[in-house]
Amino acid sequence: MDIREYCRPKSIEEAYELLCSEGAAIIGGGAFLNLGDRQLSKAVDIGDLDLSFIKEDESRVEIGAASTLRDIELNDITRQAFEGVLSKTAASIMGVQLRNVATLGGTIYGKYGFSDMITTLLALNAQVELYKAGAMSLESYLNREHEKDIILKVSIEKEVTKVFYEGVRKTGTDFSMLNAAAAMVDGEFRLCIGSRPGRAKLAKGAMNFLNGIDSAKGSAGIAAILASEELTFGTDARASDTYRKELCKTLVRHCVTEVLE
Amino acid sequence: MKEVNKSIPKKEGLGLSFGKPAYTDDLAPRDSLIVKVLRSPFAFARIKDIRTEAAEKLEGIKCVLTYRNVPRNIVTRAGQGYPEPSPHDKFIFDKYVRYIGDEVAAVAAENEAAALEALKLIEVDYEILEPVLDYEKAVDHPSVIHPEKEAHEMFPIGYKPERNIAAEYHMSFGDMEEALDKCEYVVTERYYTQAQNHTAMETHTSLAYVDLQGRLTIVSSTQTPFHARRIAAEALGLPIEQIRVIKPRIGGGYGGKQSLHGEFITALTALRTGRPAKLVYTREEVFEASYTRHPMRIDVTIGADRDANIKAIDMKVLSNTGAYGEHALTVFMVAGSKTLPLYNKAEAVSFGGTVVYTNTTPAGAFRGYGAIQGNFALESTIDILAENIGIDPMEFRTRNMIKEGESSPVFRIMGEGTEGVDMVMESCKLDYCMKRAMELSGWKDKSKRRRQNGKKIKGIGGAIAMQGSGIPCIDMGSAVLKLNDGGFFNLMIGATDIGTGSDTILAQIAAETLGVSTDKIAVYSSDTDLTPFDCGAYASSTTYVSGNAVQKAAMKMKAQIEAAAADRLGLLTEESEFDGEAIWAKDRSKSISLKELSTELYYSYKQKQLLVCGSYCGEISPPPFMAGFAEIEIDIETGKIDLVDYTAVVDCGVTINPKLALIQVEGGLVQGIGMTLYEDVKRTEEGRLLTNDFIKYKIPTRKEINKLTVEFAESYEPTGPHGAKSVGEIGIDTPPAAIANAIYNAVGVRFTKLPITPEDVLLALKKKAFDMD
Amino acid sequence: MNISFRINGTNKNVDIKPGELLYDVLKSIGISSVKKACETSSCGVCTVLLDGRPIASCSYLAAKAHGHEITTIEGVSREAEILGSLMNSEGAIQCGFCTPGFMLTVIAMKRELQNPDEQAIKNYLVSNLCRCSGYEGQLRAVKLYMEVPQ
């Protein structure tokens, strides 16, 4: 990796200013899966900005952008809140070596299709707080055009009554061939599917259906079909679109069943 | 047995665990030039022009090599005995590039950044040619991959480069038509296996420098230092006496380092610049531009009479050797020669086929070499046939399989590129292996009922396998033993320890033969200047071939010690006896300790150096055998297959070092399991490898391995050193068929193509449910 | 740029390029035990401990190590000797290339987890790949090591 200048700003303002120069990028945890030929004029290390925290109050859980996946896996708050789904999702990702380095902010900023955290956080209706653009839903953030900004934290309202995440991997260190998460948030059912291999998306048709039904009976199967039909699936080295569509039905069935129970 | 059949820890184990400098890259001098290779972006192209001036002018660049400024000698990179059964079809660099990753040019620079920058400055004009990517369409394809007039075979191997055929072979005995006519049950099936990658953790690395005497030294992660010396001399056009090859510790081989890789390039760089030069492959280069297992299409027909006696076996193979023909003929022949003898009562057997060139990464040697592919086809078909007959597949195997004291005509007919050798199985505990593996795995109980638990279904399946112990009448190993003052020995061996522990077990064999303890043996191996010849670590040869050489040397040493002591004690030679500590008169009237004798021989009494050499080239290749059972659990909603337990009972003769033998089997099993379930190889339509890193190419992690249950049969091979046969490869052979059979037994779907992925399983289950509707 | 960090208990100041990887910097200061095998954070071979926690040095910017403590196998010699002997007795050191990184991960695990069961052990060590041993010998050694008093 070719970096011309490495900066360690002491304030967010300073970090943002540095970031705005051409060819600059934020260095979060510094977890890179494949460095390739990347070139940066400035690498802006946000390690000194006190963004590594996990805290909660009565109404929400907040996770600083510099918290590592391993922090999320081990922290008491994330192990307990939301049935421990954040901890469980984090724990399923590759190995400790990566989780000790990869940060939540980095995962979200990259908007990676393979991300398991994004799938779970979307189902939980997480909010992302950016330095410049302010707070917005994770969904809006993912749909937004890329703009240089610094993610400060992610917060999740404690309106979640039930949540479930599942991913299917070939081996213990694989990315998910598909992942899914469902949650009941403030009485509304949310359902998200990721690693399609495109970026995680809410299955809104299936969500509408689930939010309109009176009885849970048989609804998981219908939601599975709706979700598999409304979303698009692609083929890559990991799995084919056909298989992903089938997996989508399976995972949605599991998630919906768990959440409606 | 005092020193063998004993789990002595590996001599270098602790040193390696502390990370002491041991591997090729660790040993490179600090001022080594960094070599990088420019690789072809096209599957098949002709270089019209190549301009290197800009790269040469870049600061820090010391040398740029292309086909224009290197010797043009055609060789095979296959590390095999001479003359090689592989076609000579490779130049150091050529005008043609034959796969994505093929070598176009190399640069040597003061540092990596400069080398990488220089690669970008080399301008190449390519004439893009139509590649041959589908090996089933390679024969007589309009594109001829090796049009060069120099390409040739060393002796008849069926080489027809104008038809893209790297090798061809056919054999048969008995009357196939007549035998099949007598069969009540006949099954024919077609199988496919993939281009598995070895994924040794140490990437292919070579280092070269010119020594004080002006000789070229190549330090390389190679499994075959002596072959590497011969082939490098040939390719570089250097007198062989000008080259020394050293194999330091190497970080995994499994066949992937049997063929040469960067040695020509680092050697030329060192010769041209006078500087040490090293080339360390990136992981991507290992995937794209080293070697793979030969992908094969195998058609098998097996016939049995109404009493379930196998009467006829026919096996036809199409093998893909990729862009170059390393090990093309031998790996393909082993698909038959190390599987067909398992069912030695067949009256008619035929085997044959073609190995083709394609514009993909070259295939080469890989643990199991052909046997694993052939075993998948043969042992899957045996289960299908047993079901058709209505007999338990293990009973069917037991009835038909080879037994101690028996032989097979295949042994005599099929060798490796040549005729084979006749041999009788003096040790074959396959019947015990089968019985014991059935007990351990619970086959009788588990195979008889469908075991479904919610959305998960369990199944069990098995297979048997055989391998060999070296290549008889071709591959030789040798050992030198030297007695030092104080009574300890140096054991110098050409044998190549690639992590297997062979340095330790060969010392154990020497110690056992001499009657001394293993810590009295200091081992030095794999240096073409300082150690005697050995073919290298391949074809399961080290314990048996090199081990026999060590045993012979040790017997000679013992005789020399006894003779020297007899002289010293005033006895006739036959009156003295060495017991490991001292040499005694047989009547126990007098003695001298080895410590005393050896010190006197150096300093005070009829001074001389005791030094002996033993060589061994096998006349036979006694096969190790095994039975393997896979218990699996299938998630019918995702298609995921979990391996619950893998049971293996192995007959490898006496285990010289039981713990190291155990790890050989366990490690082999897991590589076989990887090939069966996880190691998918995907390419684009243009022939670019997609699965070119550990993120996309998945080898099993420890989470995939729930339980391995491995035992050894009590067995003694009379021709082996202290009763041993080989154990390096046998473990890898059974998983493909055993797991495919287990899947069939669980869900009734037969998979004939590897790997068997969750995707394959789920889609097949859906199709089956649909067909049943 | 200049960074300073502690390596195996000693303070170290080095001049690095801003884009240099920790693996390369460790090599340049003469640490031979750290090996590289995948370049994609996937195999665990290049593991070092950063403030006691295992990370992949092949994919970690050296600049980020500024002010931190790096431990390689040379820095945990007592534990390495015990674990290495157990591994060697099981035959679980085959080619040895993955062994230092693997042992560092095991040592970190023992410091971090109380009485982990087999599944927890496998979860912790999952991205330490080994192509030689089939993992079972390593597991046998690790189970014995977890019983050794701290």
Side-chain angles (χ1 to χ4, degrees):
Chain A
M1 186 146 141
D2 185 11
I3 296 173
R4 231 157 306 151
E5 194 188 344
Y6 195 93
C7 323
R8 265 191 218 94
K10 295 287 170 231
S11 71
I12 307 250
E13 296 77 15
E14 194 192 336
Y16 183 75
E17 247 171 62
L18 289 164
L19 177 64
C20 286
S21 67
E22 190 161 330
I26 297 283
I27 301 290
F32 299 100
L33 294 167
N34 208 339
L35 291 149
D37 272 347
R38 255 177 91 168
Q39 285 193 337
L40 296 180
S41 67
K42 280 192 175 73
V44 185
D45 184 337
I46 55 167
D48 295 342
L49 303 185
D50 292 329
L51 293 176
S52 176
F53 58 83
I54 297 175
K55 56 192 181 190
E56 65 177 335
D57 59 22
E58 270 150 39
S59 57
R60 66 179 67 81
V61 170
E62 291 188 341
I63 308 173
S67 306
T68 65
L69 299 180
R70 186 82 175 143
D71 293 337
I72 296 170
E73 177 189 356
L74 298 179
N75 185 279
D76 280 340
I77 295 170
T78 36
R79 274 157 59 113
Q80 263 143 43
F82 319 119
E83 301 165 17
V85 73
L86 292 167
S87 165
K88 282 181 213 159
T89 306
S92 71
I93 298 165
M94 292 182 82
V96 287
Q97 285 90 338
L98 183 88
R99 299 201 296 276
N100 274 328
V101 172
T103 60
L104 183 62
T107 305
I108 292 174
Y109 192 77
K111 301 183 181 179
Y112 300 113
F114 56 74
S115 169
D116 300 285
M117 286 312 293
I118 289 178
T119 301
T120 294
L121 288 168
L122 259 184
L124 293 172
N125 198 19
Q127 301 282 306
V128 181
E129 194 177 320
L130 294 131
Y131 170 68
K132 209 70 199 170
M136 63 181 77
S137 71
L138 175 58
E139 192 188 4
S140 321
Y141 175 77
L142 293 174
N143 291 331
R144 188 174 97 115
E145 288 283 304
H146 179 79
E147 254 176 61
K148 281 191 173 179
D149 208 333
I150 301 171
I151 297 177
L152 303 178
K153 66 183 179 192
V154 170
S155 62
I156 307 141
E157 299 292 322
K158 287 186 172 171
E159 297 163 330
V160 179
T161 45
K162 192 83 193 166
V163 57
F164 188 76
Y165 159 85
E166 190 179 357
V168 179
R169 294 168 163 78
K170 268 190 215 164
T171 73
T173 56
D174 202 8
F175 291 150
S176 294
M177 293 183 280
L178 195 89
N179 57 36
M184 194 65 86
V185 183
D186 197 16
E188 293 279 307
F189 201 103
R190 291 174 67 88
L191 175 64
C192 178
I193 291 96
S195 273
R196 303 171 295 109
R199 191 183 299 160
K201 256 190 156 166
L202 294 169
K204 295 216 164 144
M207 280 163 54
N208 281 339
F209 161 74
L210 289 164
N211 285 321
I213 52 170
D214 299 326
S215 142
K217 206 163 172 259
S219 59
I222 298 168
I225 291 168
L226 289 174
S228 75
E229 283 172 354
E230 69 183 284
L231 296 170
T232 53
F233 302 92
T235 298
D236 62 5
R238 208 157 264 107
S240 74
D241 50 359
T242 316
Y243 179 57
R244 286 195 159 101
K245 193 166 177 173
E246 288 304 322
L247 270 187
C248 175
K249 290 181 203 164
T250 300
L251 296 193
V252 168
R253 226 166 34 235
H254 290 177
C255 289
V256 172
T257 306
E258 289 287 333
V259 170
L260 288 183
E261 242 172 29
Chain B
M1 289 183 190
K2 233 174 72 210
E3 294 299 311
V4 301
N5 199 226
K6 187 171 167 189
S7 293
I8 293 173
K10 270 173 65 170
K11 283 174 176 278
E12 70 287 3
L14 264 188
L16 291 178
S17 76
F18 299 153
K20 294 195 169 161
Y23 306 90
T24 301
D25 190 27
D26 298 338
L27 304 180
R30 280 219 153 190
D31 66 338
S32 296
L33 295 175
I34 306 295
V35 178
K36 289 280 170 189
V37 178
L38 181 68
R39 297 187 178 278
S40 171
F42 302 110
F44 195 25
R46 193 179 63 83
I47 299 171
K48 289 195 292 190
D49 191 19
I50 183 162
R51 291 177 294 280
T52 57
E53 296 76 12
E56 279 159 19
K57 275 188 208 140
L58 195 72
E59 198 188 320
I61 300 301
K62 296 290 165 196
C63 180
V64 179
L65 302 172
T66 71
Y67 74 90
R68 288 186 176 153
N69 64 356
V70 301
R72 186 173 167 84
N73 298 312
I74 201 156
V75 298
T76 174
R77 295 171 299 176
Q80 297 177 297
Y82 184 83
E84 304 95 341
S86 297
H88 282 215
D89 59 6
K90 181 77 175 85
F91 298 106
I92 299 174
F93 293 104
D94 193 11
K95 237 190 239 191
Y96 284 89
V97 283
R98 298 181 172 83
Y99 68 98
I100 295 178
D102 206 351
E103 295 101 344
V104 175
V107 299
E110 295 286 357
N111 57 64
E112 184 172 330
L116 291 172
E117 190 56 37
L119 289 187
K120 291 184 197 155
L121 296 176
I122 298 176
E123 293 171 74
V124 190
D125 297 336
Y126 293 100
E127 178 194 349
I128 298 168
L129 304 169
E130 195 202 334
V132 183
L133 296 172
D134 179 350
Y135 71 99
E136 295 184 271
K137 294 181 184 148
V139 174
D140 296 330
H141 192 282
S143 289
V144 174
I145 295 170
H146 284 278
E148 70 277 15
K149 59 182 188 321
E150 297 95 330
H152 66 280
E153 58 193 349
M154 298 298 281
F155 55 86
I157 59 168
Y159 190 51
K160 299 183 190 78
E162 68 286 356
R163 302 186 60 200
N164 290 330
I165 292 173
E168 225 166 8
Y169 173 83
H170 294 276
M171 77 89 187
S172 65
F173 63 83
D175 188 325
M176 184 58 68
E177 219 169 300
E178 197 188 299
L180 283 173
D181 274 349
K182 279 194 266 177
C183 292
E184 191 91 350
Y185 306 95
V186 177
V187 170
T188 298
E189 193 56 75
R190 169 168 283 189
Y191 300 87
Y192 289 92
T193 63
Q194 83 276 34
Q196 186 184 22
N197 189 282
H198 309 77
T199 70
M201 286 298 140
E202 179 204 25
T203 63
H204 298 59
T205 304
S206 68
L207 157 73
Y209 55 87
V210 177
D211 74 8
L212 278 179
Q213 302 173 10
R215 291 170 79 232
L216 174 70
T217 301
I218 298 172
V219 182
S220 174
S221 59
T222 177
Q223 297 175 231
T224 55
F226 287 88
H227 296 329
R229 178 177 68 176
R230 187 191 76 237
I231 297 165
E234 204 179 345
L236 302 170
L238 272 187
I240 193 164
E241 60 267 30
Q242 284 300 310
I243 305 176
R244 173 185 183 187
V245 176
I246 298 170
K247 179 232 55 134
R249 306 319 303 178
I250 91 171
Y254 332 114
K257 293 167 181 168
Q258 184 178 342
S259 297
L260 280 78
H261 34 92
E263 292 93 339
F264 304 149
I265 298 174
T266 49
L268 270 177
T269 305
L271 290 169
R272 297 264 164 100
T273 63
R275 294 269 302 273
K278 69 172 183 181
L279 169 54
V280 183
Y281 276 27
T282 62
R283 181 56 57 189
E284 215 173 276
E285 283 178 300
V286 172
F287 276 110
E288 292 176 357
S290 66
Y291 303 93
T292 72
R293 192 183 287 292
H294 288 81
M296 288 188 192
R297 183 190 76 195
I298 303 180
D299 292 298
V300 182
T301 298
I302 310 180
D305 68 12
R306 75 186 54 195
D307 300 320
N309 298 306
I310 294 174
K311 293 287 169 193
I313 310 177
D314 176 66
M315 194 183 267
K316 289 190 182 67
V317 179
L318 180 70
S319 172
N320 176 9
T321 191
Y324 299 97
E326 286 86 6
H327 305 270
L329 176 69
T330 44
V331 170
F332 141 71
M333 282 183 75
V334 167
S337 67
K338 294 196 196 322
T339 59
L340 298 169
L342 282 170
Y343 301 108
N344 61 331
K345 283 122 203 144
E347 291 165 9
V349 173
S350 65
F351 174 87
T354 307
V355 190
V356 296
Y357 284 125
T358 60
N359 294 109
T360 53
T361 304
F366 195 152
R367 196 180 205 169
Y369 73 124
I372 183 172
Q373 293 99 317
N375 193 279
F376 172 52
L378 182 75
E379 285 294 278
S380 294
T381 311
I382 290 287
D383 257 39
I384 302 172
L385 186 56
E387 192 188 24
N388 288 1
I389 298 171
I391 184 174
D392 177 285
M394 300 311 153
E395 197 185 319
F396 183 46
R397 286 186 173 87
T398 304
R399 175 178 303 207
N400 287 284
M401 71 199 186
I402 193 164
K403 296 186 176 63
E404 200 158 84
E406 294 181 354
S407 183
S408 159
V410 175
F411 291 132
R412 177 178 47 77
I413 299 169
M414 296 181 75
E416 298 207 2
T418 57
E419 280 187 6
V421 294
D422 224 347
M423 57 179 171
V424 169
M425 299 301 93
E426 294 195 56
S427 62
C428 173
K429 306 296 178 200
L430 194 49
D431 46 353
Y432 169 83
C433 294
M434 174 62 96
K435 237 176 29 203
R436 181 66 182 147
M438 280 164 65
E439 267 170 41
L440 285 171
S441 65
W443 162 264
K444 281 223 164 96
D445 183 40
K446 290 174 181 169
S447 65
K448 294 226 159 63
R449 57 200 170 85
R450 188 179 162 83
R451 294 171 303 142
Q452 183 158 8
N453 174 14
K455 302 292 185 186
K456 304 221 169 156
I457 303 178
K458 278 190 180 171
I460 185 168
I464 56 172
M466 59 174 283
Q467 198 70 37
S469 296
I471 305 174
C473 305
I474 292 180
D475 280 341
M476 189 266 276
S478 56
V480 167
L481 260 174
K482 170 170 140 269
L483 175 66
N484 297 290
D485 53 346
F488 80 100
F489 301 87
N490 290 115
L491 174 63
M492 274 87 75
I493 40 181
T496 312
D497 191 330
I498 55 175
T500 51
S502 66
D503 281 356
T504 303
I505 66 142
L506 293 174
Q508 288 179 261
I509 290 170
E512 176 74 21
T513 312
L514 287 164
V516 304
S517 82
T518 301
D519 54 22
K520 291 283 181 206
I521 314 279
V523 189
Y524 182 74
S525 60
S526 314
D527 178 332
T528 60
D529 267 9
L530 302 182
T531 64
F533 178 84
D534 193 289
C535 59
Y538 60 89
S540 289
S541 59
T542 305
T543 303
Y544 184 78
V545 176
S546 314
N548 263 319
V550 169
Q551 190 180 20
K552 278 171 87 174
M555 282 157 65
K556 282 189 193 170
M557 175 55 81
K558 191 165 183 240
Q560 284 208 8
I561 290 169
E562 285 169 348
D567 182 46
R568 169 71 173 72
L569 297 173
L571 301 165
L572 294 172
T573 299
E574 56 272 23
E575 287 171 350
S576 71
E577 196 170 44
F578 177 43
D579 71 359
E581 287 288 331
I583 304 91
W584 289 81
K586 279 192 178 154
D587 63 7
R588 309 299 273 182
S589 59
K590 45 190 159 180
S591 74
I592 181 168
S593 73
L594 180 66
K595 192 173 171 189
E596 212 178 322
L597 175 73
S598 60
T599 306
E600 285 187 13
L601 281 171
Y602 266 22
Y603 298 111
S604 52
Y605 180 79
K606 290 195 179 172
Q607 285 139 282
K608 64 177 168 184
Q609 174 67 61
L610 297 196
L611 182 84
V612 296
C613 179
S615 315
Y616 187 83
C617 181
E619 283 167 18
I620 58 166
S621 175
F625 294 96
M626 75 165 274
F629 283 75
E631 187 179 359
I632 51 115
E633 182 172 71
I634 298 178
D635 182 330
I636 56 173
E637 288 189 311
T638 62
K640 254 199 105 169
I641 303 160
D642 283 337
L643 186 70
V644 179
D645 186 12
Y646 203 99
T647 303
V649 181
V650 178
D651 165 15
C652 62
V654 170
T655 52
I656 300 294
N657 187 316
K659 284 265 172 71
L660 292 175
L662 173 65
I663 300 275
Q664 281 301 304
V665 175
E666 290 175 340
L669 288 175
V670 173
Q671 287 180 1
I673 290 162
M675 175 166 168
T676 311
L677 292 175
Y678 307 109
E679 298 178 32
D680 212 351
V681 179
K682 294 223 166 108
R683 291 175 199 283
T684 64
E685 278 176 23
E686 296 77 38
R688 180 176 298 282
L689 188 68
L690 289 169
T691 44
N692 63 353
D693 61 30
F694 279 141
I695 293 179
K696 298 189 257 358
Y697 186 90
K698 305 313 289 185
I699 67 169
T701 74
R702 66 193 71 239
K703 265 173 135 173
E704 277 66 64
I705 307 305
N706 284 307
K707 190 163 170 257
L708 304 176
T709 307
V710 178
E711 280 190 8
F712 292 96
E714 240 181 74
S715 171
Y716 188 92
E717 169 56 41
T719 67
H722 305 294
K725 296 190 277 190
S726 79
V727 69
E729 295 180 281
I730 183 71
I732 204 171
D733 293 332
T734 57
I739 291 171
N741 291 339
I743 294 170
Y744 181 82
N745 292 340
V747 294
V749 181
R750 170 63 57 185
F751 288 94
T752 56
K753 185 177 145 286
L754 298 181
I756 307 166
T757 64
E759 168 156 359
D760 297 333
V761 173
L762 188 71
L763 298 182
L765 288 176
K766 298 274 314 174
K767 186 171 177 297
K768 191 176 174 231
F770 183 79
D771 290 349
M772 278 162 70
D773 285 347
Chain C
M1 64 187 286
N2 187 272
I3 58 167
S4 58
F5 55 92
R6 278 175 79 76
I7 170 84
N8 299 326
T10 313
N11 290 324
K12 193 93 196 169
N13 250 297
V14 260
D15 273 320
I16 62 160
K17 290 196 214 87
E20 254 186 294
L21 296 168
L22 181 58
Y23 167 84
D24 292 315
V25 170
L26 292 175
K27 278 277 169 200
S28 75
I29 61 170
I31 303 279
S32 72
S33 67
V34 187
K35 322 281 181 208
K36 181 164 76 172
C38 77
E39 303 134 48
T40 53
S41 267
S42 313
C43 75
V45 167
C46 69
T47 299
V48 300
L49 306 184
L50 179 90
D51 301 332
R53 293 182 317 244
I55 64 157
S57 66
C58 78
S59 308
Y60 194 79
L61 285 174
K64 276 205 76 79
H66 176 70
H68 293 277
E69 164 113 44
I70 305 289
T71 310
T72 65
I73 204 76
E74 289 90 340
V76 285
S77 48
R78 185 184 161 268
E79 284 123 309
E81 186 146 3
I82 296 168
L83 177 56
S85 300
L86 291 169
M87 297 256 296
N88 206 23
S89 298
E90 291 297 331
I93 300 168
Q94 284 279 295
C95 80
F97 203 75
C98 71
T99 308
F102 172 75
M103 296 211 316
L104 272 169
T105 316
V106 174
I107 289 164
M109 171 175 75
K110 181 166 167 131
R111 291 171 180 178
E112 199 173 322
L113 304 185
Q114 302 286 321
N115 306 315
D117 60 11
E118 188 169 316
Q119 210 48 50
I121 290 173
K122 285 182 173 178
N123 282 340
Y124 199 99
L125 302 174
V126 69
S127 72
N128 287 88
L129 300 179
C130 169
R131 189 60 152 172
C132 292
S133 74
Y135 300 115
E136 291 285 280
Q138 291 186 340
L139 184 65
R140 289 188 284 270
V142 168
K143 282 181 175 170
L144 293 172
Y145 178 65
M146 297 307 278
E147 301 296 315
V148 176
Q150 284 281 15

